[in-house]
């Protein structure tokens, strides 16, 4: 006897297969659609009715957040004044699984009259929507995940996935970068991380500065007081000379043992510490830390003067 979980598994399998079934359907029309949207001087107006409308609304939001100005309009609202938002510089992306949705087809002549190009997304290449569109993207599924094969399930999932594919392809064509994404998400945690710089989080007070001639016994005290796990040496021009870390000190103690206190900072100084500018984004600082397996980087100006330190914990914003 099947359980509730079995039905859920079957639904997920059906919808996953529906998405995979889109891959063989991709043809030149997809590339033409991407190029048309990329060349669009206006905005992408996404439209659809019912469940297709719900999917269209999400696709419009994804496009807008990834560098393609877009918004959703319900065909029913067009008959009550909303047609005024459309211009010949725009592109319409129309969604309908059947391609014969009445409300959408009544909207189509208005679009054609204004000479606005239409990209259709449907599961029926022989539909009226496909016939009168400039480009048709086929999104056909064999069956709905609904056990009655009636409720839009696999078809809406497939349309949503194809919309994501359009957005992702456009991101690549636009060379859309993390900094661009942050501009459209300034209020969220991700946007904050992408916009925050080293200068915003660096520690700059009471830096543990260690003269290179200082004996390691004294250096241990200053490193401990600094609470950064490191000490920094500067040359006579106040430029960064190098650093020593807790790890450097421990390894030196193991190596020299009783003779440890006779050595100076210069003996264990790392003269090529990782440095960043104050405008370096935190995401880049983290990339450097992960790549070189370090827990801190120094923030310096153009003359390599010390401005502060960013450690692993400072990046956890």
């Amino acid at each position: 006897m099947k359980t509730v979980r079995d039905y859920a598994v079957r639904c997920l399998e059906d919808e996953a297969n529906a998405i995979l079934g889109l891959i063989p359907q991709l043809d030149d029309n997809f590339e033409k659609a991407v190029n048309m949207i990329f060349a669009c001087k206006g905005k992408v107006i996404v439209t659809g009715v019912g469940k297709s409308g719900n999917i269209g609304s999400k696709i419009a939001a994804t496009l807008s957040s990834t560098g393609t100005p877009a918004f959703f309009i319900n065909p029913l609202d067009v008959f009550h004044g909303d047609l005024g938002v459309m211009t010949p510089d725009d592109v319409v992306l129309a969604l309908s699984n059947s391609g014969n949705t009445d409300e959408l087809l009544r909207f189509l002549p208005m679009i054609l009259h204004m000479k606005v190009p239409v990209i259709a997304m449907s599961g029926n290449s022989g539909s009226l929507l496909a016939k009168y569109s400039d480009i048709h993207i086929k999104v056909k599924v064999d069956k709905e995940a609904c056990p009655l094969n009636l409720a839009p399930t696999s078809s809406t999932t497939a349309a949503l996935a194809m919309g994501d594919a359009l957005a992702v392809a456009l991101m690549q064509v636009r060379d859309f970068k993390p900094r661009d994404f942050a501009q459209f998400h300034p209020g969220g945690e991700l946007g904050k991380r992408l916009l925050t710089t080293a200068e915003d989080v660096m520690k700059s007070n009471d830096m543990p500065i260690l003269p290179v001639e200082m004996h390691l016994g004294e250096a241990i005290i200053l490193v401990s007081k600094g609470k950064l796990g490191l000490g920094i040496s500067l040359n006579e021009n106040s430029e960064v000379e190098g650093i020593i870390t807790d790890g450097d000190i421990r390894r030196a103690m193991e190596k020299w043992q009783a003779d440890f206190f006779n050595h100076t900072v210069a003996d264990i100084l790392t003269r090529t510490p990782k440095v960043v500018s104050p405008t370096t984004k935190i995401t880049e600082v983290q990339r450097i830390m992960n790549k070189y397996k370090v827990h801190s980087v120094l923030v310096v100006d153009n003359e390599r003067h010390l401005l502060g330190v960013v450690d692993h914990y400072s990046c956890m914003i």
Side-chain angles (χ1 to χ4, degrees):
M1 180 177 178
K2 288 188 176 182
T3 66
V4 170
R5 185 179 298 179
D6 292 328
Y7 295 125
V9 170
R10 179 62 182 273
C11 175
L12 294 174
E13 288 176 342
D14 286 345
E15 297 200 354
N17 290 330
I19 292 176
L20 292 174
L22 297 179
I23 297 176
Q25 299 181 51
L26 288 173
D27 54 21
D28 291 344
N29 283 338
F30 181 85
E31 187 171 349
K32 291 177 181 177
V34 171
N35 291 334
M36 177 180 284
I37 295 174
F38 179 66
C40 175
K41 293 181 171 58
K43 53 200 173 295
V44 177
I45 299 175
V46 188
T47 187
V49 179
K51 302 297 187 297
S52 292
N54 294 333
I55 297 302
S57 180
K58 191 274 178 185
I59 291 175
T62 300
L63 288 170
S64 291
S65 69
T66 53
T68 300
F71 68 89
F72 176 79
I73 187 170
N74 191 315
L76 301 176
D77 294 332
V78 170
F79 301 103
H80 301 281
D82 284 6
L83 188 63
V85 303
M86 193 178 303
T87 73
D89 289 331
D90 299 332
V91 170
V92 168
L93 175 61
L95 279 69
S96 169
N97 184 40
S98 69
N100 292 312
T101 305
D102 182 63
E103 298 90 342
L104 194 57
L105 294 180
R106 283 191 284 138
F107 177 25
L108 196 56
M110 303 179 192
I111 303 172
L112 298 177
H113 176 73
M114 294 182 65
K115 294 182 169 39
V116 178
V118 178
I119 300 170
M121 188 185 295
S122 81
N124 185 358
S125 300
S127 65
L128 287 173
L129 178 62
K131 179 180 178 181
Y132 287 102
S133 61
D134 296 271
I135 300 171
H136 179 251
I137 298 176
K138 187 178 178 182
V139 186
K140 181 177 175 57
V141 299
D142 293 332
K143 64 186 182 72
E144 300 288 1
C146 165
L148 302 177
N149 197 30
L150 295 173
T153 43
S154 296
S155 59
T156 49
T157 300
L160 182 62
M162 187 63 79
D164 287 342
L166 274 175
V168 168
L170 283 161
M171 289 175 71
Q172 294 296 324
V173 172
R174 294 185 192 282
D175 194 25
F176 197 78
K177 301 294 186 184
R179 63 176 178 273
D180 303 312
F181 190 86
Q183 291 177 359
F184 297 105
H185 299 76
E189 182 177 344
L190 178 57
K192 181 180 179 182
R193 288 176 56 78
L194 293 172
L195 291 172
T196 301
T197 65
E199 186 176 29
D200 295 327
V201 299
M202 69 182 185
K203 298 176 182 177
S204 56
N205 296 324
D206 301 322
M207 292 287 98
I209 305 300
L210 313 177
V212 292
E213 67 275 9
M214 177 180 285
H215 282 87
L216 292 179
E218 298 176 76
I220 290 176
I221 298 173
L222 288 182
V223 169
S224 179
K225 286 183 177 179
K227 298 181 179 179
L228 290 173
L230 56 78
I232 307 155
S233 291
L234 308 177
N235 62 21
E236 61 275 8
N237 297 319
S238 298
E239 300 164 338
V240 172
E241 181 80 7
I243 65 171
I244 66 171
T245 66
D246 283 337
D248 294 329
I249 293 172
R250 287 195 301 271
R251 286 186 288 273
M253 293 181 75
E254 289 180 18
K255 178 181 179 180
W256 292 315
Q257 298 185 17
D259 194 42
F260 169 81
F261 293 98
N262 294 323
H263 287 272
T264 65
V265 169
D267 294 330
I268 63 171
L269 195 67
T270 298
R271 298 183 182 274
T272 56
K274 301 307 173 189
V275 300
V276 298
S277 73
T279 58
T280 302
K281 298 293 190 296
I282 284 300
T283 49
E284 174 63 12
V285 172
Q286 288 183 310
R287 187 194 69 79
I288 292 172
M289 289 181 180
N290 292 333
K291 179 178 180 179
Y292 296 102
K293 295 180 173 56
V294 296
H295 297 287
S296 302
V297 297
L298 306 184
V299 184
V300 299
D301 63 15
N302 293 334
E303 284 74 42
R304 205 175 169 81
H305 295 144
L306 180 66
L307 300 177
V309 176
V310 177
D311 61 16
H312 171 74
Y313 297 103
S314 302
C315 296
M316 299 173 64
I317 57 174

